[in-house]
Amino acid sequence: MSLVETLVIPRTSDLGGGLEVRRALPSAQRRTVGPFVFLDEMGPALFAPGAGVDVRPHPHIGLSTVTYLYEGAMMHRDGAGHVQEIRPGEVNWMTAGRGIVHSERTPDTQRQAGQQLAGLQLWVGLPASHEETDPGFVHYGLDAQPVVEGEGVRAQVVAGSLFGQTSAVRALSPLFFGDIVLQAGATVVVPPEYEERAAYLSRGAVEVDGQVYQPGQLLVFAAGRPVTVRAVEAARLAVLGGEPLEGPRFVWWNFVSSRKDRIEQAKQDWQRDRFGQVVPGDETEYIPLPAPRS
């Protein structure tokens, strides 16, 4: 049996302004990996002076959003009053719980100067017992995430435990997320502690079990065995996974829940302005609820 159980080729979308995103989760091939229910890679995109990203205020329930940048900067604002810039290697971890609204935009300084932007956005589904928890937001700097280095490998333990190190980033379910940079010819072994594991390749080519994989691919690994990843050329990949949630999760637009009726309630709440506004500084715009598919 191959060590790569499923190969996901993300679908690409153009968000406008030169920013492309590749969506690896959820997909037809794989809905989740551990508690991770969503994975987008954004960029790399080069923004000229005066241009930038403007993800207008929008709602979430039942998940934690995780923003992790490789290049550039973003400004987070939410309905609980948090305003936080994020830079490469840092973590913005927002827990939506029963509901929160937020926006993500290019900071003013970078908008004036122009910047290159690249990174990942992930959603972690919440355990059923925490789906209706109070919303919250925590920013973690580089000092919260241990780094393991050696023999052409640099691994930053972004969340959970990996390679004998544990991140200070707090999650509500057992998981791991690591940012790994490999020099050409270097190898890293993804341990088998968790039932579900995957690697998303952002740069370079890697070889697993005799097969070469290219950037923009999600490799979902078979359970129970260590996986050796060798860099055919200099590469960067995110490794992630954990214990699966206790039941399936429904994902519609920005809403995640174990209950379909809860998602229907969230739709009504957004249409009726029950989520509140992003304050201070982003009160006048919002993304409307998508129209039902015909």
Side-chain angles (χ1 to χ4, degrees), residues 9-38:
I9 308 298
R11 63 187 186 274
T12 301
S13 300
D14 188 343
L15 297 187
L19 180 63
E20 284 190 344
V21 297
R22 286 161 293 285
R23 181 153 302 164
L25 293 176
S27 71
Q29 296 80 21
R30 186 80 184 205
R31 303 297 298 175
T32 61
V33 175
F36 292 91
V37 300
F38 179 96

Side-chain angles (χ1 to χ4, degrees), residues 96 101 250:
V101 57
F250 302 103

Side-chain angles (χ1 to χ4, degrees), residues 94-239:
M94 183 185 76
T95 297
R98 57 182 168 75
I100 196 169
V101 57
H102 78 134
S103 66
E104 292 179 295
R105 299 182 186 266
T106 298
D108 292 341
T109 299
Q110 285 76 14
R111 191 182 296 271
Q112 293 171 9
Q115 72 166 347
Q116 179 144 310
L117 181 70
L120 303 176
Q121 174 116 137
L122 308 99
W123 297 353
V124 178
L126 298 179
S129 59
H130 292 279
E131 283 187 307
E132 298 300 320
T133 193
D134 290 340
F137 173 86
V138 182
H139 173 81
Y140 296 93
L142 295 175
D143 58 349
Q145 304 160 66
V147 173
V148 179
E149 294 185 280
E151 299 184 1
V153 179
R154 183 186 187 277
Q156 183 165 321
V157 184
V158 181
S161 297
L162 192 64
F163 309 132
Q165 299 292 323
T166 299
S167 169
V169 172
R170 180 176 178 267
L172 293 173
S173 57
L175 57 78
F176 73 95
F177 171 29
D179 173 19
I180 300 178
V181 177
L182 300 173
Q183 297 177 13
T187 62
V188 66
V189 178
V190 182
E193 280 88 344
Y194 290 103
E195 180 180 347
E196 297 188 357
R197 302 162 298 156
Y200 183 82
L201 184 60
S202 292
R203 186 182 75 222
V206 300
E207 181 265 329
V208 177
D209 206 17
Q211 177 69 42
V212 175
Y213 298 93
Q214 303 296 328
Q217 296 181 341
L218 177 71
L219 288 59
V220 182
F221 300 131
R225 292 185 287 168
V227 178
T228 299
V229 180
R230 183 181 68 88
V232 176
E233 57 193 33
R236 188 170 197 171
L237 61 150
V239 294

